[in-house]
Amino acid sequence: MEEGPQIQVRFTTRQTQYAVTDTPIVVPARLKRYGLSEIINHLLGLEKPKPFDFLIDGEFLRTSLTEYLVEKNLSTENLITIEYVESMLPPSPLSGYKHDDWIGAIDKECEGLFLTGCYDNKVRVWNKSGDCVETLVGHEGPIKSVKWLRSEENNLRLLSGSHDQTVMAWEYSPSEQSYELLYQCVGHKGSIESIAAHESGEHFLTASWDGSIKFWNTEKVDEDSTANAVQTNNKRRKATNDSDIPTKTATHSLDGHVGPVSSVIYNQSNYNQAFSGGWDHSIRIWDLESRVNINTKNCEKVVLDVDYSDKSGLLVSGHSDRSIRIWDPRSDDAAVVKMTLSSHQNWVSSVSWSERTPYMLISGSYDSNIKVWDIRSRAPLYTISGSSQPDQKVLAVEWSNDLILSGGEDCTFKMHSAKLE
């Protein structure tokens, strides 16, 4: 073994299948994550080595132990407790599915199906094999948001929001390979930028360029109107005029933003609460029962997207200053950012938490890249090319179970495998 300072460490893990003795051992202080990973593999006696990451006081070790000690003003006499976790493998590309125009919206898997919204005014339904199993026609402007609503009697309901200032509610039948346009929601005076669906499928929220958030129920329009709903079969057809489509208006509005509202999402742990972000540099917390903006968090730049993690209780937001900000909505302080992540070279257009861990998220940017983050480190774990050309914007990302979904200016719906233990 090379000469040099040594340090006493104790290894711990929450992944019981990889547990080793917690008896302190002495290791060279020059070691970085790869050297420490070799030690864990040796202690475990693994035939096929596995890569591990290491955390000290809740932060990933990205330097040598010596550099860490210097940074924290510690000496080699200290006993250091190091937690280790199996490293996430680099995301691997699975496939890409071409569209006729930019992809402005994506939603996660539901019953083995995915949604994309396109600037060609169409909503598409995809299966895991990469087949476009349905194309929903009805909007008169680019699709800015798509959202699964619920599953009902073997049929799937979904929502789409468009630059045409309407939201459309659809029912898709996988078995019959047909769809029905149930109704359209009217009342916004600007593009629909974001839709949030309540878990019950009975309510949803919309955020608009007109500066408002509207609350809607999903009850069908009265029988007379519903009878005129646009129904299609394999030879799909479009409504001939607006009078063919039943319409409904919002139950009420949530007003408070000054300028366009770019994103809205429910608190999955408390569906009486919602979060929104807008061009007025604010993230707002809403009590939906009293219809009141109960807290406002301010920052320096436009908020382009917001997502909430029910595992960590934290909000993530993407911004026009190329930054990602992490917020604790339980904090009363209006201006304290828990963490800022910087690596993108252009606007951060879309953010999405992993559903499986409280620590990991992805971001998409106008710089053509998608980044995978673990908030226990301030540097991205991985960077994925989100388009075929360096100047093509990524407009939408979603982390759906073990898949990273993305789309944007290159007109391709991409899937990457991103398996976590």
Side-chain angles (χ1 to χ4, degrees):
M1 185 175 290
E2 296 181 13
E3 295 183 1
Q6 297 184 318
I7 185 171
Q8 196 175 34
V9 302
R10 176 188 290 114
F11 290 111
T12 65
T13 186
R14 302 179 198 184
Q15 296 177 298
T16 55
Q17 72 271 34
Y18 299 129
V20 300
T21 176
D22 62 356
T23 302
I25 62 174
V26 175
V27 302
R30 60 180 168 76
L31 291 183
K32 298 182 179 180
R33 56 181 293 209
Y34 299 108
L36 294 172
S37 195
E38 287 181 343
I39 291 175
I40 297 299
N41 275 275
H42 175 73
L43 292 173
L44 290 170
L46 297 177
E47 291 185 10
K48 184 179 180 181
K50 290 186 177 293
F52 292 94
D53 271 304
F54 298 86
L55 299 104
I56 305 177
D57 290 332
E59 292 186 11
F60 277 114
L61 180 68
R62 291 293 183 251
T63 64
S64 68
L65 289 170
T66 298
E67 291 170 290
Y68 173 83
L69 293 175
V70 170
E71 180 186 350
K72 301 299 183 182
N73 197 26
L74 299 172
S75 77
T76 54
E77 302 299 320
N78 292 95
L79 170 63
I80 305 297
T81 298
I82 303 177
E83 180 184 354
Y84 59 98
V85 296
E86 186 176 6
S87 297
M88 175 186 171
L89 295 174
S92 56
L94 296 178
S95 44
Y97 312 118
K98 290 296 291 184
H99 288 55
D100 295 332
D101 210 328
W102 297 3
I103 298 169
I106 295 171
D107 199 21
K108 302 174 182 181
E109 178 186 347
C110 177
E111 306 291 341
L113 299 171
F114 306 92
L115 292 176
T116 59
C118 188
Y119 274 55
D120 65 1
N121 309 348
K122 298 173 183 176
V123 178
R124 290 174 173 84
V125 183
W126 301 83
N127 63 23
K128 285 187 173 181
S129 299
D131 303 314
C132 179
V133 296
E134 196 62 84
T135 301
L136 312 183
V137 179
H139 281 292
E140 297 180 354
I143 311 299
K144 304 298 294 290
S145 184
V146 287
K147 195 67 62 177
W148 292 111
L149 188 60
R150 65 183 171 198
S151 179
E152 186 173 289
E153 298 178 355
N154 299 320
N155 291 340
L156 299 172
R157 291 198 178 178
L158 59 123
L159 303 165
S160 56
S162 169
H163 197 270
D164 66 13
Q165 305 181 11
T166 71
V167 172
M168 289 188 172
W170 312 82
E171 187 164 273
Y172 168 62
S173 173
S175 60
E176 297 180 8
Q177 293 187 321
S178 64
Y179 69 89
E180 177 184 352
L181 175 50
L182 300 176
Y183 54 82
Q184 67 175 347
C185 303
V186 298
H188 276 298
K189 303 300 183 184
S191 170
I192 311 298
E193 298 294 302
S194 178
I195 301 172
H198 194 279
E199 184 179 44
S200 68
E202 296 176 356
H203 305 284
F204 63 94
L205 298 167
T206 54
S208 171
W209 197 258
D210 65 13
S212 73
I213 298 165
K214 292 189 183 294
F215 184 95
W216 312 77
N217 67 50
T218 59
E219 295 174 1
K220 284 190 174 182
V221 183
D222 66 83
E223 291 297 324
D224 291 338
S225 296
T226 305
N228 294 323
V230 182
Q231 298 191 14
T232 66
N233 51 31
N234 290 332
K235 299 178 184 274
R236 332 179 206 2
R237 62 184 176 81
K238 186 179 176 182
T240 55
N241 56 64
D242 289 345
S243 63
D244 292 329
I245 308 173
T247 61
K248 70 161 50 186
T249 56
T251 303
H252 55 267
S253 291
L254 304 174
D255 299 312
H257 280 284
V258 182
V261 187
S262 53
S263 183
V264 65
I265 189 166
Y266 279 100
N267 178 342
Q268 297 97 321
S269 302
N270 173 12
Y271 276 96
N272 188 47
Q273 189 177 76
F275 311 106
S276 62
W279 284 61
D280 58 1
H281 304 181
S282 77
I283 291 174
R284 294 174 187 263
I285 304 174
W286 303 88
D287 183 302
L288 297 179
E289 185 176 0
S290 61
R291 309 177 191 178
V292 173
N293 178 190
I294 57 176
N295 196 344
T296 300
K297 297 185 179 299
N298 299 301
C299 57
E300 300 82 12
K301 292 294 179 178
V302 166
V303 181
L304 298 171
D305 195 24
V306 174
D307 196 22
Y308 174 77
S309 169
D310 60 344
K311 289 190 173 295
S312 67
L314 299 176
L315 288 166
V316 59
S317 53
H319 297 264
S320 62
D321 63 354
R322 306 177 294 180
S323 296
I324 298 161
R325 291 174 173 83
I326 309 295
W327 310 80
D328 188 341
R330 297 158 293 194
S331 169
D332 291 332
D333 197 311
V336 172
V337 177
K338 185 178 179 68
M339 180 183 294
T340 300
L341 304 174
S342 300
S343 179
H344 282 294
Q345 301 304 307
N346 208 325
W347 288 20
V348 180
S349 55
S350 186
V351 289
S352 178
W353 287 103
S354 166
E355 301 160 300
R356 303 209 168 166
T357 165
Y359 306 112
M360 300 186 72
L361 61 96
I362 53 173
S363 57
S365 169
Y366 286 7
D367 66 9
S368 303
N369 290 320
I370 301 158
K371 292 183 183 287
V372 181
W373 303 84
D374 187 309
I375 60 173
R376 293 170 292 187
S377 172
R378 292 185 181 273
L381 296 182
Y382 298 108
T383 297
I384 307 168
S385 176
S387 67
S388 55
Q389 300 294 328
D391 59 345
Q392 293 176 324
K393 302 178 180 71
V394 175
L395 299 176
V397 297
E398 288 284 351
W399 198 326
S400 179
N401 296 318
D402 290 334
L403 296 173
I404 290 174
L405 313 175
S406 64
E409 268 190 340
D410 71 345
C411 309
T412 305
F413 174 41
K414 292 184 171 69
M415 292 187 185
H416 284 79
S417 175
K419 292 186 178 180
L420 300 174
E421 287 296 316

